[in-house]
């Protein structure tokens, strides 16, 4: 047993250790925290997520400036609590810790220990728990009980110049199909009805294990899991996209007609500098192909503005392309200059206020597109899953919307009673930029 736990048990016999796991960043971090909590619970530990606890584990994000800042501020906040005697121990794990461990140890020495993204057994050890290999798929999910993230691979082999993920998460490693099926079965047994498949790049799935892109075969296996009603695909890379995935999407009602495919930019000059391995022509052709093969598909993408060397001309090209493509869902980020990435050698020459103005312009165009597409939904009926109740509304999503990032359907709670996790049929009677309003159709 770790010496800290022996002394704490001797000196504080009346105080039982409670471990509070705090999660920052993306869905992959949510997943990692859930695995950590599942392991702790299996070792008999009292573990909570973002509630009071005398031992704190912060799962950090190190992706871009804002996320790093939030992670550092959270660490400082809990170190302060430790100094004031409100918490006993503070441990830090995750991407920021993987990327900047020596700096963090120097700058914030009052953290008890820092762990990288692959050091789960070590972290469990200091928390007085053993890493249990047999716990495949055992997680304490922190999302609403009707959906869960299913991480199908770790790391990334892509060389994108703006991205620090390979530094923090290492090379691409797929999880075997049978392990993911086991995990999906356990989630379904706990009431999960929707799986959101995540990875740094879904399209690479299987290349390391099966020597071929094997996402379609994985989907074929997952649709057989009893109790799972929706399977959603997040984070696909546009180069080398396995088109057999679209056949499964068309054929299998459980696979949502939805794809999240971050495209980042469309100017050939910028795409080349970003090392995206594609061009405006190829990307446009791919999106048109998707729409021809699965006409009802909703495509979500993300873009980066203000990348080094992005001229007004590059930006205008991007703007016109966004208008032309009419993506159903789109998010836009300002470029963040990250150490040890390929683009770090370039001059970060687009002023911050120009980056922000460009992002706002793109989002303005998108909100108009979204409003127009939503108007077309008035009078139509959709299958909707209920995620939560908020104020006077039950809030749900269609198969064309992912949790936390996409449109929501609001149903008046005064006229209808619904339960979280229920699927119901809703007729849309009003639509805004990003919200739909409707009534349940019996």
């Amino acid at each position: 047993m770790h010496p800290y736990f022996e002394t704490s048990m001797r000196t504080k016999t009346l105080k039982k250790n409670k471990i509070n796991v705090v999660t920052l960043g993306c869905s992959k971090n949510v997943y990692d925290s859930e695995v950590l909590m599942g392991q702790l619970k299996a070792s008999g530990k009292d573990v909570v997520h973002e509630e009071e606890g005398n031992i704190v584990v912060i799962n950090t994000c190190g992706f871009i400036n804002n996320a790093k800042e939030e992670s550092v501020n959270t660490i400082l906040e809990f170190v302060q609590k430790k100094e004031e005697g409100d918490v006993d121990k503070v441990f830090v794990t995750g991407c920021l810790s993987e990327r900047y461990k020596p700096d963090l140890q120097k700058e914030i020495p009052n953290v008890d220990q820092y762990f990288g993204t692959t050091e789960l057994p070590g972290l469990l050890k200091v928390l007085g728990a053993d890493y249990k290999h047999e716990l495949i798929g055992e997680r304490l999910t922190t999302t609403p009980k009707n959906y869960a993230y299913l991480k199908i691979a770790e790391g990334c082999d892509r060389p994108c110049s703006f991205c620090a993920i390979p530094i923090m998460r290492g090379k691409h490693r797929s999880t075997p199909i049978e392990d993911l099926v086991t995990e999906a079965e356990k989630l379904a047994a706990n009431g999960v009805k929707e799986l959101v498949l995540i990875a740094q790049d879904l399209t690479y799935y299987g290349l390391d294990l099966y020597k071929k892109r094997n996402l379609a075969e994985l989907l074929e296996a997952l649709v057989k899991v009893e109790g799972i009603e929706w399977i959603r695909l997040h984070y696909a890379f546009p180069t080398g996209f396995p088109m057999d995935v679209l056949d499964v999407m068309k054929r299998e009602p459980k696979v949502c007609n939805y794809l999240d495919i971050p495209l980042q930019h469309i100017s050939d000059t910028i795409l080349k500098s970003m090392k995206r391995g594609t061009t405006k022509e190829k990307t446009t052709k791919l999106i048109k192909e998707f729409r021809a093969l699965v006409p009802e598909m909703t495509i979500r993408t993300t873009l980066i503005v203000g990348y080094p060397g992005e001229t007004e001309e590059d930006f205008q090209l991007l703007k016109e392309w966004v208008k032309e493509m009419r993506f159903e869902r789109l998010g836009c980020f300002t470029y963040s200059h990250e150490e040890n990435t390929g683009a770090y050698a370039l001059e970060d020459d687009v002023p911050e206020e120009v980056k922000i103005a460009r992002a706002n312009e793109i989002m303005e165009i998108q909100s108009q597109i979204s409003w127009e597409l939503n108007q077309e939904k008035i009078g139509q009926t959709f299958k909707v899953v209920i995620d939560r109740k908020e104020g006077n509304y039950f809030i749900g999503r269609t198969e064309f919307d992912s949790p936390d990032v996409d449109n929501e359907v609001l149903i008046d709670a005064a006229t209808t009673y619904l339960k979280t996790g229920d699927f119901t049929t809703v007729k849309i009677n009003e639509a805004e930029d990003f919200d739909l309003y409707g009534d349940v159709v019996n």
Side-chain angles (χ1 to χ4, degrees):
M1 185 181 277
H2 193 266
Y4 163 65
F5 283 87
E6 291 178 276
T7 54
S8 69
M9 281 168 186
R10 273 205 300 274
T11 55
K12 301 179 189 165
T13 43
L14 297 175
K15 187 173 177 186
K16 189 175 184 308
N17 285 317
K18 185 185 267 192
I19 301 164
N20 173 21
V21 178
V22 177
T23 309
L24 301 159
C26 69
S27 52
K28 288 114 178 148
N29 266 16
V30 170
Y31 181 94
D32 292 346
S33 289
E34 292 173 353
V35 169
L36 167 66
M37 290 163 66
Q39 289 274 354
L40 289 168
K41 189 158 188 279
S43 284
K45 300 294 168 193
D46 187 2
V47 59
V48 291
H49 190 246
E50 297 180 358
E51 292 172 31
E52 294 291 305
N54 66 312
I55 295 163
V56 180
V57 179
I58 306 164
N59 188 0
T60 57
C61 177
F63 188 44
I64 53 175
N65 287 338
N66 297 357
K68 290 190 286 196
E69 210 171 292
E70 187 189 7
S71 292
V72 168
N73 290 342
T74 306
I75 297 168
L76 292 171
E77 184 191 318
F78 280 105
V79 162
Q80 178 75 26
K81 286 185 177 179
K82 182 184 163 189
E83 283 161 10
E84 289 164 2
D86 294 333
V87 301
D88 297 327
K89 293 266 163 180
V90 178
F91 297 103
V92 174
T93 184
C95 289
L96 189 81
S97 189
E98 176 74 33
R99 195 172 169 194
Y100 298 109
K101 196 188 285 185
D103 301 344
L104 288 165
Q105 283 166 332
K106 200 165 81 221
E107 298 295 327
I108 316 178
N110 212 350
V111 164
D112 291 271
Q113 214 170 324
Y114 289 93
F115 294 89
T117 51
T118 57
E119 297 177 304
L120 177 62
L123 172 58
L124 287 166
K125 198 170 171 203
V126 303
L127 294 169
D130 290 324
Y131 179 65
K132 293 179 167 45
H133 286 280
E134 67 278 13
L135 283 184
I136 288 175
E138 293 292 350
R139 287 154 52 197
L140 278 185
T141 52
T142 59
T143 47
K145 69 180 173 63
N146 49 297
Y147 71 84
Y149 295 109
L150 185 64
K151 186 158 71 166
I152 68 168
E154 183 54 276
C156 189
D157 290 353
R158 303 285 187 179
C160 305
S161 67
F162 53 81
C163 185
I165 282 170
I167 303 165
M168 300 183 285
R169 294 274 178 176
K171 287 287 197 192
H172 178 94
R173 302 178 301 288
S174 303
T175 302
I177 289 178
E178 54 275 23
D179 291 357
L180 291 169
V181 168
T182 301
E183 191 165 342
E185 285 167 350
K186 288 179 179 171
L187 290 167
N190 289 331
V192 167
K193 294 175 181 175
E194 176 181 4
L195 298 175
V196 181
L197 266 51
I198 56 171
Q200 259 43 72
D201 174 13
L202 289 182
T203 69
Y204 240 67
Y205 179 77
L207 273 175
D208 50 337
L209 290 180
Y210 309 108
K211 305 297 170 252
K212 64 185 173 88
R213 295 176 189 267
N214 222 13
L215 182 57
E217 198 176 316
L218 170 63
L219 291 173
E220 298 277 18
L222 290 174
V223 296
K224 296 188 180 83
V225 176
E226 201 78 27
I228 296 298
E229 293 199 35
W230 281 355
I231 299 170
R232 185 179 299 286
L233 301 178
H234 262 252
Y235 319 123
F237 197 87
T239 315
F241 186 88
M243 296 306 264
D244 55 351
V245 167
L246 300 184
D247 300 333
V248 184
M249 191 182 275
K250 270 186 87 145
R251 191 172 64 246
E252 291 292 348
K254 284 188 180 184
V255 179
C256 294
N257 290 306
Y258 180 98
L259 183 66
D260 183 333
I261 182 160
L263 296 169
Q264 314 304 9
H265 215 283
I266 205 58
S267 151
D268 285 349
T269 322
I270 301 291
L271 288 171
K272 190 174 180 192
S273 179
M274 283 181 168
K275 298 196 167 72
R276 295 290 286 171
T278 188
T279 60
K280 178 175 189 255
E281 191 186 337
K282 282 183 189 163
T283 305
T284 308
K285 184 170 173 279
L286 181 72
I287 299 302
K288 287 182 172 166
E289 237 172 290
F290 284 170
R291 288 184 166 152
L293 289 165
V294 188
E296 52 281 25
M297 188 202 294
T298 278
I299 299 173
R300 155 170 274 282
T301 195
T302 41
L303 303 172
I304 295 172
V305 291
Y307 180 86
E310 182 188 61
T311 62
E312 187 56 37
E313 195 184 342
D314 292 323
F315 176 63
Q316 290 304 327
L317 186 76
L318 181 65
K319 247 171 68 173
E320 289 314 308
W321 186 75
V322 167
K323 287 178 190 168
E324 179 199 336
M325 298 311 287
R326 293 178 71 78
F327 288 102
E328 287 80 5
R329 312 279 178 261
L330 183 145
C332 189
F333 296 92
T334 55
Y335 170 77
S336 178
H337 208 44
E338 297 294 317
E339 306 99 318
N340 301 322
T341 60
Y344 197 65
L346 304 172
E347 190 193 340
D348 186 10
D349 56 358
V350 180
E352 194 57 32
E353 61 275 19
V354 175
K355 289 179 185 174
I356 292 165
R358 285 178 180 176
N360 288 341
E361 261 189 84
I362 295 282
M363 286 319 293
E364 207 134 303
I365 294 166
Q366 184 57 30
S367 77
Q368 179 62 28
I369 292 168
S370 184
W371 184 84
E372 288 165 11
L373 294 173
N374 279 350
Q375 298 312 301
E376 294 167 15
K377 295 188 169 82
I378 294 173
Q380 293 187 38
T381 54
F382 294 94
K383 181 179 174 181
V384 168
V385 68
I386 303 303
D387 281 338
R388 64 188 189 282
K389 181 171 185 284
E390 214 171 84
N392 301 326
Y393 291 98
F394 286 105
I395 297 180
R397 289 173 292 111
T398 69
E399 73 169 284
F400 309 108
D401 297 289
S402 207
D404 298 332
V405 291
D406 288 333
N407 292 1
E408 292 180 322
V409 179
L410 285 75
I411 301 147
D412 190 346
T415 55
T416 319
Y417 177 72
L418 296 161
K419 288 210 306 276
T420 301
D422 275 0
F423 282 90
T424 186
T425 306
V426 175
K427 185 176 186 181
I428 305 303
N429 53 34
E430 199 187 322
E432 294 174 358
D433 300 6
F434 298 109
D435 286 325
L436 301 168
Y437 294 83
D439 297 317
V440 171
V441 181
N442 292 320

